[in-house]
Amino acid sequence: MDFELDKPNYGQPSVPPIDFRALLNDEQFAAVTAEPGPLLVLAGAGSGKTRTLTYRVAYLLSQGVRPGEILLLTFTNKAAKEMLHRVHDLTGIEPGRFWGGTFHSLGNRALRMYGEAIGLPKNFTILDADESETLLKQAVTALDATFFKEKTNPRPGPLFSVLSLARNTQLSLADTVARNFPQYAEIAHRFPAFAAAYTSKKRDDKVVDYDDLLELWLKLLTDAPDVAAYFNNRFRHVLVDEYQDTNTIQAQLVDKLAGHHRVMAVGDDAQCIYSWRGADFENIMSFPERHTGTVIHRIETNYRSTPEILAFANGVLNCQPKGRHFDKELRAARKHGTKPAVIQAMDDREQAAFVLKRISALVEEEGVSPNEIAILYRSHFLALEMQLALTRAGMPYTITSGVKFFERQHVRDLIAVINFVYNPANTSAWNRIAILLPKVGEKGASKIYSAALDHAKLMQQNFIDALATDDVLSKVPKDAKADWPNFCASLRQVYEAMNEDTPADAVSVAIEGWYGDYMKGEYADYTDRLEELKGLVGFAGQFTQMTDFLAQIMLLNGETSEREIQPDTECIKLTTIHQAKGLEYDVVFLIGAAEGQFPGYRTIESGDFEEERRLFYVAVTRAKNELYISYPRVASRPGPGGMMLSPSRFLQELPSDLYDELRIKRSYGW
């Protein structure tokens, strides 16, 4: 096979003098100017990781390395563009002269050039997410025409998520299901045949999906030695951003591409928080073993936070098990501020009232911009009372990690079930839940509803009972008939709970019935969504009458939709900690820092706390000036430990002199 360098990369343009010593601190300078070889740069939160990587590229260019000899691997194209544009500002060298971008984009580029070496035609096309799911559905249906008709079986989307995670982690499908998708445990033995059929169909159609861009690139480097040798010779320097987020295949790609060991991996083991989407903590921990002679550089000067916040963050790091992390200590470049504050509230509502009162003081009395205030939480349902409090107060907020709680699809579905059972004349609620049945569209839902209404009137029968009659069943599409008895029985159970028990009991029954089964097939993240719906049970527990519960939800939704936030409006930010990684705010409120909430009960049961502790570290290092950590003493719904909650173990294990405890008075003063 013949190999050619890209024409634009011939020659070495002159680079203007750059005073690296003046532009970088000591730690950054040492890493940027390090001798070529295996380098692991451990860049703590707020320490200038991107700056270090950018200047490393510029430094290599200043040493005579050609742009085409540098490979820059990132996790977003935005990150690559920003770095290479900054390199352009420093050196005058155009970004287009580098191979820089995401693993997937560069995998596509490599496969376009040399994919024929592994039997991949040059004219292959890439499937988007919807096309991939459609093709998977066709492959599975060809093997079993009834598989997707069983409501608890995964739909094509969730099934694709299972196969994708297994491919990226290179774990068996059985292990992947056991670890991440326990709702599919009983049918996991069928998945390997589905995966094989899907792979075969892609090959026949000459298409690849997103995951193939990594898998086939690795196959190319493994099965075509001449291609691997070319890339090794071509890219004399391999640089990797956010290395702690690499999955198994990505780490293997880096090892293959950097067979010469002139590789710089930049990351922070303490910020590895994405194992649920394939990131492998062991990749960064075992980097020195896989690249003999690795020199480790630590960048620990933090430009973001006050010394008091960093002392708290260092305390979290010090609680990690010995030998299971790289030692590091963040040092502050800023002046002193106030200690982080820990607040015990009576319940979720008092916690929300405290946060609201403190935010009002920050904005109105201290001049802090709402844009610089963030409320962080481990899981969406923990922010329910906070959203309600902000809405009632008319305080604008945005949720950067998704839609508001009552606008989330599964929450709206469940509320529609409750609304319909409470008031069968509510055809909007009926249509929302009926079309969740197989092959039932809006017209079909209307026909079923009309048949039930006619029967109920004729027989002077309750509408819910009329749904279960043969007259109505005759209007149900063939594909939905198997679901129909369970659907009707579930509605009847909700009706009974609604009339005999509390609103919270009715919501619990709705979750445990037909809709809970539906969610298993519809959502790959079923367990997380189930937790959110259980949070709704806690909210319903505040009410003794169903009419009050539903009225409160409708009022809140109405207030939210009517108060459209203009693009230039300053807003409080609400976000999960995962979505906040890489961001920073003047003031951070971390809510729900209780055992059973953060860490959650599932983590407590598994006994694997290390990623949760790293997540806690990521949360506290988002704060620049002030950090407030709060937890409720009484749970909104009973957990394995009952109603009473204790502070998160991540707080309890810290020395008490790292924070101040604030006491809430009943007037919500402190």
Side-chain angles (χ1 to χ4, degrees), residues 486-558:
N486 187 26
F487 177 78
C488 294
S490 182
L491 295 179
R492 177 68 196 177
Q493 289 163 358
V494 175
Y495 176 80
E496 291 171 357
M498 202 173 283
N499 287 281
E500 299 172 10
D501 300 309
T502 66
D505 291 325
V507 174
S508 290
V509 170
I511 295 170
E512 293 165 3
W514 172 84
Y515 188 69
D517 288 341
Y518 167 82
M519 281 209 309
K520 287 181 182 178
E522 184 66 19
Y523 300 113
D525 58 347
Y526 159 76
T527 50
D528 292 333
R529 291 178 187 256
L530 184 62
E531 279 296 304
E532 292 180 15
L533 292 185
K534 288 179 179 177
L536 189 60
V537 176
F539 176 66
Q542 301 175 26
F543 304 89
T544 57
Q545 299 296 320
M546 182 59 70
T547 182
D548 295 334
F549 168 62
L550 291 174
Q552 185 64 69
I553 290 174
M554 293 308 110
L555 287 170
L556 288 167
N557 274 343

Side-chain angles (χ1 to χ4, degrees), residues 250 287 324 353 495 537 639-640 658:
Q250 288 163 335
F287 183 90
R324 290 296 303 129
Y495 176 80
V537 176
L658 294 178

Side-chain angles (χ1 to χ4, degrees), residues 127 135-136 138-140 142-143 163 167 192-209 212:
L127 301 172
L135 200 70
L136 176 59
Q138 293 170 356
V140 172
L143 289 180
L163 303 187
R167 294 166 67 187
F194 295 158
Y198 174 58
T199 299
S200 178
K201 185 152 184 59
K202 282 187 296 179
R203 185 169 58 246
D204 292 344
D205 291 3
K206 298 180 180 179
V207 297
V208 302
D209 63 23
D212 284 320

Side-chain angles (χ1 to χ4, degrees), residues 164-374:
S164 176
L165 186 60
R167 294 166 67 187
N168 281 285
T169 57
Q170 295 191 330
L171 289 173
S172 71
L173 282 162
D175 285 345
T176 300
V177 169
R179 294 185 186 191
N180 301 92
F181 308 97
Q183 68 268 33
Y184 305 137
E186 293 182 2
I187 57 170
H189 64 280
R190 306 193 61 191
F191 291 176
F194 295 158
Y198 174 58
T199 299
S200 178
K201 185 152 184 59
K202 282 187 296 179
R203 185 169 58 246
D204 292 344
D205 291 3
K206 298 180 180 179
V207 297
V208 302
D209 63 23
Y210 200 56
D211 296 325
D212 284 320
L213 297 177
L214 299 187
E215 280 193 311
L216 295 178
W217 188 14
L218 182 59
K219 180 178 175 61
L220 179 65
L221 296 174
T222 303
D223 294 355
D226 50 349
V227 177
Y230 163 71
F231 279 119
N232 259 270
N233 292 325
R234 166 68 185 273
F235 299 122
R236 308 299 292 167
H237 299 272
V238 177
L239 285 70
V240 192
D241 188 24
E242 300 284 13
Y243 188 79
Q244 78 280 346
D245 293 338
T246 55
N247 62 35
T248 304
I249 291 184
Q250 288 163 335
Q252 291 179 359
L253 281 167
V254 171
D255 291 348
K256 291 283 186 183
L257 290 163
H260 46 58
H261 300 302
R262 286 185 295 278
V263 54
M264 174 184 277
V266 181
D268 182 2
D269 58 298
Q271 296 188 68
C272 182
I273 58 172
Y274 294 118
S275 66
W276 48 275
R277 68 184 191 196
D280 188 348
F281 180 72
E282 294 303 322
N283 289 343
I284 192 166
M285 296 306 298
S286 63
F287 183 90
E289 297 169 17
R290 301 195 319 278
H291 296 276
T292 304
T294 293
V295 176
I296 296 177
H297 289 266
R298 288 174 170 80
I299 303 178
E300 300 171 322
T301 303
N302 176 289
Y303 295 91
R304 175 185 299 156
S305 306
T306 63
E308 288 74 14
I309 292 173
L310 294 184
F312 188 96
N314 286 329
V316 176
L317 293 181
N318 291 337
C319 293
Q320 297 177 102
K322 298 299 180 185
R324 290 296 303 129
H325 63 94
F326 290 107
D327 292 333
K328 68 175 70 64
E329 181 178 0
L330 299 176
R331 293 185 297 276
R334 294 186 53 199
K335 294 180 180 178
H336 285 280
T338 59
K339 284 184 180 181
V342 173
I343 304 96
Q344 176 186 283
M346 180 175 66
D347 54 21
D348 288 342
R349 279 178 284 180
E350 188 173 73
Q351 177 178 241
F354 162 77
V355 174
L356 190 64
K357 185 176 180 68
R358 181 63 190 127
I359 287 176
S360 296
L362 286 166
V363 173
E364 296 168 11
E365 300 170 18
E366 301 177 34
V368 178
S369 166
N371 287 338
E372 286 298 328
I373 300 173

Side-chain angles (χ1 to χ4, degrees), residues 566-627:
Q566 300 301 315
D568 58 347
T569 302
E570 293 190 332
C571 297
I572 309 298
K573 305 297 186 297
L574 271 68
T575 177
T576 61
I577 303 166
H578 282 103
Q579 290 290 331
K581 183 173 175 288
L583 304 177
E584 58 184 34
Y585 301 93
D586 285 350
V587 182
V588 165
F589 294 86
L590 174 59
I591 62 175
E595 285 289 289
Q597 296 185 340
F598 189 10
Y601 288 120
R602 277 189 291 157
T603 300
I604 293 171
E605 288 170 4
S606 72
D608 185 8
F609 299 102
E610 293 318 302
E611 183 157 338
E612 290 291 291
R613 183 181 283 107
R614 295 194 293 269
L615 192 62
F616 190 79
Y617 166 79
V618 168
V620 302
T621 53
R622 300 310 95 198
K624 294 161 68 176
N625 302 330
E626 295 182 39
L627 172 63

Side-chain angles (χ1 to χ4, degrees), residues 384-532:
L384 174 55
E385 285 293 343
M386 196 68 250
Q387 292 182 40
L388 300 180
L390 290 168
T391 300
R392 289 172 183 141
M395 190 172 289
Y397 69 94
T398 59
I399 299 184
T400 59
S401 55
V403 297
K404 297 176 180 178
F405 185 85
F406 286 116
E407 294 172 359
R408 287 173 66 74
Q409 187 170 327
H410 55 295
V411 177
R412 293 181 66 190
D413 286 345
L414 192 80
I415 291 171
V417 171
I418 301 293
N419 256 319
F420 171 69
V421 174
Y422 181 74
N423 173 22
N426 186 337
T427 55
S428 295
W430 164 257
N431 286 336
R432 182 172 186 95
I433 61 175
I435 62 174
L436 301 179
L437 291 161
K439 301 296 183 182
V440 176
E442 290 186 9
K443 288 183 179 179
S446 181
K447 287 180 181 178
I448 297 170
Y449 186 89
S450 296
L453 187 61
D454 290 344
H455 187 94
K457 288 179 178 177
L458 180 65
M459 305 301 293
Q460 294 187 326
Q461 192 177 21
N462 179 292
F463 190 95
I464 301 298
D465 291 334
L467 285 171
T469 61
D470 290 342
D471 286 352
V472 177
L473 180 61
S474 67
K475 302 296 183 183
V476 176
K478 183 178 68 174
D479 288 350
K481 287 187 186 297
D483 272 12
W484 191 252
N486 187 26
F487 177 78
C488 294
S490 182
L491 295 179
R492 177 68 196 177
Q493 289 163 358
V494 175
Y495 176 80
E496 291 171 357
M498 202 173 283
N499 287 281
E500 299 172 10
D501 300 309
T502 66
D505 291 325
V507 174
S508 290
V509 170
I511 295 170
E512 293 165 3
W514 172 84
Y515 188 69
D517 288 341
Y518 167 82
M519 281 209 309
K520 287 181 182 178
E522 184 66 19
Y523 300 113
D525 58 347
Y526 159 76
T527 50
D528 292 333
R529 291 178 187 256
L530 184 62
E531 279 296 304
E532 292 180 15

